[in-house]
């Protein structure tokens, strides 16, 4: 029987959770790298036992860990992330120039075809790539070289490149998102990049429809429809039908369209999920009721999903890398909270149960569907 | 041999014990410096590169401090000669995680 493996990054270590296809009983191992912040853990799509983890600390900096046995054992690999050339400055919170400084890796995206090739999204925002399993990292400096870098600014979590989507249908095409610069696309494997923010509207900007400066929280894509992108922005849930060239709002009847995560059903490319959060100044669910919202129409029409989720006194957040879907039938949906819970739905969101209740604050959740 | 004490997270990361002994090159004046100790430590434990000082500039990470013989060496030049008690192995060179964050 097939099964799943959850890779969970928290403020105080990584956890690996496995279950069979029923997704009812879980074995949990960890903490791995106890006491360190684990921003992201992700496995290779071509070799699921090859897993990479971003381990960081304000004291000791960045470490990258690699596993060749699905997260049972780990070895540290290269941690040298050096910007190409003179990094220059970006905007600080008050608009003054601030030097570019590497802080940590937010997101690791293994290649769709080579387990030794991985892309890393970092703070201060840039994208790096390794082609030797993490030993050496090289910046794809065309992104910062786009010329708009001096106008990028940090969001509340820092100026992070947090989303990397690889397009399996168009060779060389990738999408990335930066808080707070916006979304960008490359069609040549990362040599050159184009901002794709037309249609976004951000009231915190002097020009709300500016080409650069939007606080994009997350982008999601279904592999069968790579031209269709979904975005959870700081405020607003957005959709693009032309690979990001333009966006339209699909918040529809959501009770609040602020949030961090967004993901797409594994088998239904028009079914998407968000977790609405009250506001940018109150990062918790409305009325203390934790809800996932699902749209089966690619946005605009949303249904509230609450079965099995706490419906009183719940004031957690769900961070941008903390939702994932498996590819079993029925599709499993997972998310982790800043309160240390990881929830699983084995029926595409209709009902939920806690995989674990008392972890450190969850930073990221990924899932691997195992044969 | 020079004795070096590491903070707990770096002991775990490197697989070293609380205190490690490293062979350190003395400079032309026959003295041992913080830079020479860190060079030797990183040569023996490559995984520590970048965790104590910057990969490129070799500047000490902001939240780490260096102590020797009950003195704070954090703000001293990395090329300043350390006391002979450290060079002789009588006293350890301490790498400490600063108390921050409550």
């Amino acid at each position: 029987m097939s099964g799943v493996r959850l890779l969970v990054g928290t403020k105080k270590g990584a956890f690996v959770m496995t279950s069979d296809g029923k997704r009812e009983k879980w074995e949990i191992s960890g903490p791995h790298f106890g006491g360190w912040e684990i921003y992201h853990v992700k496995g290779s799509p071509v070799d699921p036992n090859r897993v990479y983890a971003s381990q960081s600390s304000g004291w000791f900096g960045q470490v990258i860990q690699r596993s060749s046995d699905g997260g049972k054992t780990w070895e540290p690999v290269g941690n040298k992330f050096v910007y190409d050339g003179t990094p220059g400055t970006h905007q600080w919170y008050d608009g003054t120039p601030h030097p570019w400084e590497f802080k940590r890796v937010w997101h690791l995206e293994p290649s769709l075809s080579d387990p030794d090739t991985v892309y890393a999204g970092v703070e201060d925002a840039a994208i790096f790539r390794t082609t030797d399993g993490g030993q050496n990292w090289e910046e794809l400096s065309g992104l910062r070289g786009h010329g708009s870098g001096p106008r990028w600014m940090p969001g509340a979590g820092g100026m992070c490149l947090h989303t990397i989507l690889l397009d399996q249908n168009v060779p060389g095409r990738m999408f990335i998102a930066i808080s707070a610069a916006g979304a960008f696309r490359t069609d040549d494997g990362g040599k050159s990049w184009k901002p794709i923010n037309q249609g976004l509207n951000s009231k915190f900007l002097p020009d709300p429809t500016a080409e650069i400066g939007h606080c994009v929280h997350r982008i999601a894509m279904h592999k069968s429809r790579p031209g269709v992108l979904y975005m959870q922005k700081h405020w607003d849930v957005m959709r693009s039908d032309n690979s990001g060239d333009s966006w339209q709002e699909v918040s529809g009847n959501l009770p609040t369209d602020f949030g961090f995560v967004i993901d797409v059903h594994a088998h239904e490319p028009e079914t998407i999920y968000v977790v609405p959060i009250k506001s940018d100044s109150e990062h918790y669910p409305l009325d203390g009721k934790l809800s996932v919202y699902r749209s089966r129409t690619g946005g605009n029409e949303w249904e509230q999903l609450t079965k099995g989720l706490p419906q009183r006194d719940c004031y957690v957040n769900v961070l941008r890398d903390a939702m994932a879907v498996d590819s079993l039938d029925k599709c499993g949906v997972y998310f982790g909270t800043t309160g240390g819970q990881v929830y699983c739905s084995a029926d595409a969101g209709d009902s939920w149960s806690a995989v674990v209740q008392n972890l450190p604050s969850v930073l990221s959740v990924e899932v691997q569907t195992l044969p | 041999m020079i004795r070096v004490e590491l903070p707990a997270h770096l002991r775990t990361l490197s697989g070293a014990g609380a205190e490690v002994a490293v062979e350190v090159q003395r400079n032309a004046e026959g003295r041992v410096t913080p830079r020479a100790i860190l060079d030797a430590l990183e040569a023996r434990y490559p995984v520590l590169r970048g965790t104590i000082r910057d990969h490129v500039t070799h500047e000490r990470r902001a939240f780490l401090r260096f102590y020797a013989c009950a003195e704070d060496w954090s703000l001293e030049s990395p090329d300043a000669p350390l006391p002979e008690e450290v060079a002789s192995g009588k006293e350890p060179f301490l790498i400490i995680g600063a108390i921050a964050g409550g």
Side-chain angles (χ1 to χ4, degrees):
Chain A
M1 187 183 199
S2 56
V4 293
R5 180 162 56 215
L6 286 179
L7 306 170
V8 178
T10 80
K11 282 271 194 182
K12 295 292 180 186
F15 296 82
V16 179
M17 309 173 187
T18 52
S19 180
D20 62 22
K22 291 182 180 176
R23 296 158 287 183
E24 293 172 351
K25 295 177 181 174
W26 294 85
E27 289 187 12
I28 300 172
S29 75
H32 303 275
F33 330 117
W36 292 69
E37 293 180 317
I38 308 300
Y39 267 64
H40 198 213
V41 188
K42 191 157 188 180
S44 163
V46 286
D47 176 4
N49 281 329
R50 176 66 68 85
V51 181
Y52 295 89
S54 171
Q55 171 186 359
S56 65
S57 150
W59 283 260
F60 309 113
Q62 181 67 49
V63 176
I64 299 291
Q65 297 276 354
R66 184 180 71 190
S67 174
S68 297
D69 56 13
K72 293 187 180 73
T73 62
W74 299 85
E75 59 175 323
V77 286
N79 65 343
K80 189 175 181 181
F81 291 86
V82 178
Y83 296 113
D84 187 29
T86 304
T89 62
H90 58 80
Q91 283 191 37
W92 196 232
Y93 292 96
D94 62 359
T96 55
H98 193 82
W100 228 278
E101 297 167 336
F102 173 83
K103 295 184 180 64
R104 60 175 61 81
V105 172
W106 276 65
H107 185 93
L108 292 163
E109 191 65 36
S111 156
L112 299 172
S113 57
D114 174 17
D116 286 334
T117 295
V118 185
Y119 298 89
V122 313
E123 175 189 356
D124 285 338
I127 184 168
F128 284 76
R129 179 176 62 193
T130 178
T131 57
D132 59 8
Q135 298 294 352
N136 295 283
W137 297 88
E138 180 182 21
E139 186 189 6
L140 302 180
S141 56
L143 177 60
R144 283 188 311 106
H146 166 258
S148 59
R151 287 182 281 146
W152 301 1
M153 67 188 101
M159 198 177 79
C160 51
L161 193 161
H162 49 72
T163 298
I164 302 173
L165 298 178
L166 306 177
D167 189 332
Q168 67 177 18
N169 297 286
V170 181
R173 175 170 283 184
M174 282 189 276
F175 304 91
I176 64 96
I178 296 168
S179 293
F184 292 78
R185 187 182 80 212
T186 178
D187 292 321
D188 57 14
K191 294 187 185 69
S192 62
W193 296 80
K194 169 190 176 183
I196 49 168
N197 300 305
Q198 187 181 333
L200 306 188
N201 191 313
S202 300
K203 292 185 174 62
F204 64 85
L205 290 173
D207 172 5
T209 60
E211 181 185 49
I212 293 293
H214 301 276
C215 195
V216 176
H217 284 179
R218 190 70 177 163
I219 307 175
M221 176 176 72
H222 192 276
K223 60 184 179 183
S224 73
R225 295 213 196 148
V228 179
L229 299 174
Y230 299 101
M231 173 191 293
Q232 173 66 69
K233 195 164 68 66
H234 194 76
W235 292 96
D236 302 333
V237 178
M238 309 293 293
R239 171 188 177 123
S240 172
D241 290 293
N242 51 15
S243 301
D245 286 338
S246 62
W247 298 85
Q248 67 265 12
E249 186 175 356
V250 292
S251 304
N253 62 331
L254 285 172
T256 162
D257 58 15
F258 186 90
F260 290 93
V261 293
I262 189 164
D263 217 332
V264 188
H265 189 291
H267 313 300
E268 301 171 11
E270 292 288 308
T271 297
I272 54 179
Y273 302 87
V274 296
V275 179
I277 296 297
K278 184 175 180 183
S279 74
D280 53 359
S281 54
E282 295 169 279
H283 285 185
Y284 42 74
L286 280 170
D287 303 322
K289 299 176 180 177
L290 183 57
S291 302
V292 176
Y293 276 70
R294 177 175 63 195
S295 171
R296 294 188 182 278
T297 54
N300 283 320
E301 298 165 26
W302 298 88
E303 59 180 318
Q304 185 180 17
L305 308 172
T306 61
K307 188 177 178 184
L309 296 175
Q311 293 305 293
R312 55 174 292 183
D313 306 325
C314 181
Y315 292 93
V316 298
N317 194 3
V318 180
L319 299 178
R320 69 192 80 216
D321 232 344
M323 178 178 264
V325 298
D326 69 33
S327 57
L328 294 175
D329 188 16
K330 296 181 173 179
C331 174
V333 187
Y334 307 84
F335 69 93
T337 77
T338 55
Q341 300 86 30
V342 176
Y343 291 102
C344 162
S345 170
D347 52 14
D350 291 340
S351 63
W352 299 83
S353 60
V355 174
V356 61
Q357 297 264 23
N358 297 300
L359 295 186
S361 181
V362 174
L363 298 172
S364 63
V365 174
E366 295 288 351
V367 60
Q368 297 176 290
T369 307
L370 304 173
Chain B
M1 299 290 272
I2 304 290
R3 296 159 56 202
V4 181
E5 282 193 16
L6 293 171
H9 279 314
L10 296 188
R11 292 176 212 159
T12 307
L13 181 65
S14 63
E19 184 175 295
V20 298
V22 287
E23 194 76 52
V24 176
Q25 192 80 32
R26 290 180 181 254
N27 66 14
E29 290 77 42
R31 308 293 295 272
V32 165
T33 66
R35 185 191 304 279
I37 291 177
L38 296 175
D39 287 346
L41 186 67
E42 290 174 354
R44 180 163 174 191
Y45 300 102
V47 71
L48 295 180
R49 289 178 182 149
T51 65
I52 299 169
R53 54 183 183 171
D54 184 86
H55 271 289
V56 177
T57 66
H58 281 184
E59 285 184 21
R60 173 182 51 83
R61 289 191 56 79
F63 286 5
L64 293 186
R65 300 178 72 172
F66 303 148
Y67 297 162
C69 299
E71 298 285 341
D72 185 353
W73 285 75
S74 308
L75 303 180
E76 299 294 330
S77 164
D79 296 313
L82 287 161
E84 186 54 32
E85 288 90 336
V86 174
S88 66
K90 183 178 176 186
E91 290 287 332
F93 181 72
L94 306 178
I95 300 174
I96 303 288
I99 301 299

